[in-house]
Amino acid sequence: MAEVVVVGGGVGGMVAALLLARQGHEVRLYERLPRLGGKLAEYRRDGFAFSLGPSLLTLPEVFTGLGITRELVEPALLCDYRFADGSQLAAHRDPARMAAEVERLTPGEGARWRAFHHWARGCMDASHRTFFSGPLFSRPQAGAGFSDVLAVAPGRTLAGLARKYFRDPRLRQYVGRYATYAGSNPYRAPAALGCIPALEHGQGGWYVPGGMPRLAEDLAALLKESGVEVRLSTEVEAILADGERVQGVRLMGGEAVDADVVVANTDAAVLYARLLPDRKRLRRVDALAPSSSAFLLLAGVEGRTEGLAHHTVVFSADQRAEFTDIFRRGRPPADPTVYIGCSAVDDASQAPAGTENWTMLVNVPAHDPARWPVRPESYRDLVLERLAARGHDLAGRLRFVELFTPADLRERYGGWTGAIYGSAYDGPMAPLRRPGNRGPRRGLYLVGGSVHPGGGLPLVAMGGRIVASLVGTDFPLRGRAG
Ligand SMILES: Cc1cc2nc3c(=O)[nH]c(=O)nc-3n(C[C@H](O)[C@H](O)[C@H](O)COP(=O)(O)OP(=O)(O)OC[C@H]3O[C@@H](n4cnc5c(N)ncnc54)[C@H](O)[C@@H]3O)c2cc1C
């Protein structure tokens, strides 16, 4: 049995802790905040509840497979896409309905969507056998082969994939949107991100009743059941190690805790800058393009909006200009794509009767807004004006609007660089350049959105599974099954 310390109680850290405890290891988890869940956080005001992080759960079986039994809710639509020319695409989970909807939008493109979806399914199957099953190249699942490399369209960008399948620029924009699920630029992200529709049009997109953070509470209950010792409001100041192996951690305040295994659920950049300083590795992480961050407006809205879906995406008029602003000019986009989430559509607990809780999210650069050429308050006004011009006018209906910049979110989450997923998938080799799950000392492991296999709830949970299996290999339990 190994003594394990997990630094950070985000989803990746919690899943790793849970699986390691179930293997029979003695696990302690330290979380600097007074709650578990990390980015699975919420904001409440005047009877309204808002997610400060995830709004959509894909691959729910990753969580139900861990023993989470809460009944999930599936919104009627995956998403209501609104294009700049006023047209609309209602994304249904059922591939046949989706293809019909695409055909309605642009005659002739329905069959192309079916071909695109077929490609996405092949790419997803290949990813499960390789990318999601362990550190790249080291432990592909049985049955993985060279055809899996070809199935992810290496060398092609997501925008290139969109051009291959669709003639209508609106459908290319819809495909490019999937890059933002990983905080990336569709003109630089590998085509493999185009496998996400295989999830959405396969297992669907889900909502956790009571608010997404309830998922963290369910994981916390499983940790308790499995005997993981959780200490909240306890920050780890340093990881203790000699040249070869980890020895434990030092908590803020000076207490040292011995451990054979330390799992870091902080961003890799924070790990190598502060917890276990390592200039060479930090330089490597810093050399990766940061993922985007989020500019959030949380609004309490009077009345109910007819036809409002749980998830709406109001697209910019020019996708290329939008991503040039975010990733090249380092400024919030002059013409943003705005995601609108309204969980009150499916959950009366999220807003007072007769009102709506609107979360408006714009992808923005991760750096400090002090470096933006526009003040956050002016940008808030611009976003609201754009929405009004596009048929989502909240004038006269606003009870309040709260604004969260990347700096505000960073303050809440700590141990975070502000880039939602650490680094972006930038260039065809991006998946290989992301830090791996084994650290530079025996007994050190990394989990979470900044490392392999990447961010998003199901992926960080898969990272937790990968780490648990690596520890199981490196620290076999004597005399019992791992
Ligand atoms: C605005 C936004 C929208 C998103 N939307 C979606 C979505 O719709 N669907 C989806 O699947 N994903 C979404 N994501 C991404 C998803 O939330 C993250 O990928 C995932 O929650 C990150 O989990 P993690 O394991 O990396 O840990 P994190 O959530 O980053 O948690 C890390 C934890 O470690 C703690 N910590 C850090 N340093 C220390 C230390 N020294 N000592 C002790 N504790 C420490 C932190 O306090 C934190 O609790 C979104 C994220 C954001 C911010």
Side-chain angles (χ1 to χ4, degrees):
M1 181 180 69
E3 305 250 11
V4 178
V5 162
V6 178
V7 183
V11 170
M14 284 198 281
V15 170
L18 177 66
L19 296 178
L20 287 167
R22 286 179 179 170
Q23 280 180 19
H25 297 294
E26 193 170 315
V27 185
R28 295 191 178 88
L29 185 152
Y30 297 106
E31 167 53 55
R32 57 177 282 280
L33 298 173
R35 58 166 184 88
L36 288 170
K39 297 184 184 93
L40 260 181
E42 68 191 344
Y43 177 79
R44 286 180 181 268
R45 176 170 164 185
D46 305 343
F48 293 85
F50 305 90
S51 174
L52 284 177
S55 49
L56 171 73
L57 177 65
T58 49
L59 270 185
E61 65 267 29
V62 170
F63 293 95
T64 52
L66 292 170
I68 288 179
T69 52
R70 186 183 296 264
E71 212 157 299
L72 302 171
V73 165
E74 185 174 21
L77 286 183
L78 280 172
C79 191
D80 179 3
Y81 294 107
R82 302 291 180 115
F83 298 99
D85 65 357
S87 58
Q88 181 185 5
L89 177 71
H92 297 275
R93 171 183 177 179
D94 174 31
R97 275 189 89 183
M98 180 67 183
E101 177 68 4
V102 170
E103 184 65 22
R104 183 199 56 76
L105 182 74
T106 318
E109 298 277 66
R112 289 169 175 269
W113 186 86
R114 271 198 296 275
F116 167 64
H117 181 238
H118 178 76
W119 175 87
R121 281 208 318 253
C123 178
M124 183 53 74
D125 291 346
S127 300
H128 274 294
R129 284 189 293 270
T130 53
F131 194 60
F132 298 153
S133 71
L136 281 178
F137 299 131
S138 61
R139 304 198 327 164
Q141 250 183 28
F146 187 63
S147 59
D148 289 332
V149 177
L150 298 180
V152 300
R156 203 186 276 279
T157 63
L158 185 63
L161 184 79
R163 277 196 302 276
K164 175 175 177 214
Y165 280 100
F166 297 108
R167 284 166 307 191
D168 185 331
R170 294 171 299 180
L171 292 167
R172 292 177 179 175
Q173 191 168 22
Y174 140 79
V175 174
R177 171 81 188 160
Y178 285 112
T180 65
Y181 281 40
S184 302
N185 175 352
Y187 299 95
R188 300 280 308 165
L193 290 181
C195 70
I196 299 169
L199 298 181
E200 292 192 342
H201 297 280
Q203 292 90 335
W206 296 81
Y207 168 72
V208 183
M212 298 297 281
R214 305 294 80 74
L215 195 59
E217 290 166 13
D218 291 347
L219 283 170
L222 294 179
L223 291 181
K224 196 166 175 197
E225 250 173 61
S226 311
V228 175
E229 186 189 320
V230 174
R231 271 176 64 183
L232 300 177
S233 305
T234 306
E235 182 161 354
V236 171
E237 185 181 44
I239 292 175
L240 307 173
D242 59 22
E244 271 176 34
R245 59 182 62 228
V246 297
Q247 294 159 332
V249 296
R250 189 175 62 244
L251 306 181
M252 206 62 97
E255 185 188 339
V257 181
D258 293 340
D260 310 300
V261 170
V262 174
V263 178
N265 185 209
T266 56
D267 271 11
V270 174
L271 168 68
Y272 294 131
R274 286 199 240 137
L275 298 186
L276 187 67
D278 184 328
R279 293 232 302 266
K280 200 174 91 200
R281 285 191 168 73
L282 183 60
R283 260 202 311 274
R284 234 182 272 159
V285 173
D286 282 347
L288 302 172
S291 85
S292 57
S293 191
F295 178 81
L296 289 179
L297 299 180
L298 310 179
V301 176
E302 295 286 355
R304 303 302 297 240
T305 311
E306 206 190 321
L308 183 69
H310 192 133
H311 307 287
T312 306
V313 170
V314 180
F315 279 117
S316 63
D318 182 344
Q319 190 177 46
R320 196 178 274 279
E322 178 188 353
F323 284 96
T324 301
D325 276 348
I326 303 170
F327 288 96
R328 302 254 304 268
R329 297 208 178 104
R331 55 155 296 158
D335 173 18
T337 290
V338 186
Y339 162 81
I340 303 169
C342 180
S343 55
V345 167
D346 285 308
D347 185 348
S349 76
Q350 299 291 289
T355 66
E356 290 171 343
N357 62 335
W358 282 43
T359 297
M360 290 159 271
L361 184 154
V362 177
N363 296 303
V364 294
H367 57 245
D368 203 305
R371 287 169 48 199
W372 292 358
V374 52
R375 286 177 45 245
E377 291 73 19
S378 311
Y379 197 62
R380 170 198 59 203
D381 297 344
L382 178 145
V383 170
L384 293 175
E385 277 161 25
R386 295 274 151 162
L387 284 180
R390 300 285 300 280
H392 291 290
D393 193 352
L394 296 180
R397 294 180 62 198
L398 282 176
R399 274 201 198 174
F400 61 84
V401 190
E402 299 274 359
L403 177 164
F404 286 82
T405 67
D408 300 326
L409 293 172
R410 190 163 46 233
E411 210 176 288
R412 284 191 173 244
Y413 299 138
W416 187 42
T417 59
I420 289 183
Y421 304 109
S423 57
Y425 287 95
D426 187 65
M429 302 307 278
L432 308 181
R433 293 172 65 210
R434 190 171 277 269
N437 304 104
R438 259 199 195 95
R441 303 286 196 288
R442 177 169 160 79
L444 177 63
Y445 301 86
L446 288 76
V447 69
S450 71
V451 302
H452 180 80
L457 297 171
L459 284 202
V460 295
M462 284 181 200
R465 205 160 65 193
I466 291 171
V467 163
S469 101
L470 292 176
V471 175
T473 309
D474 298 348
F475 294 84
L477 291 158
R478 287 190 204 93
R480 51 183 297 181

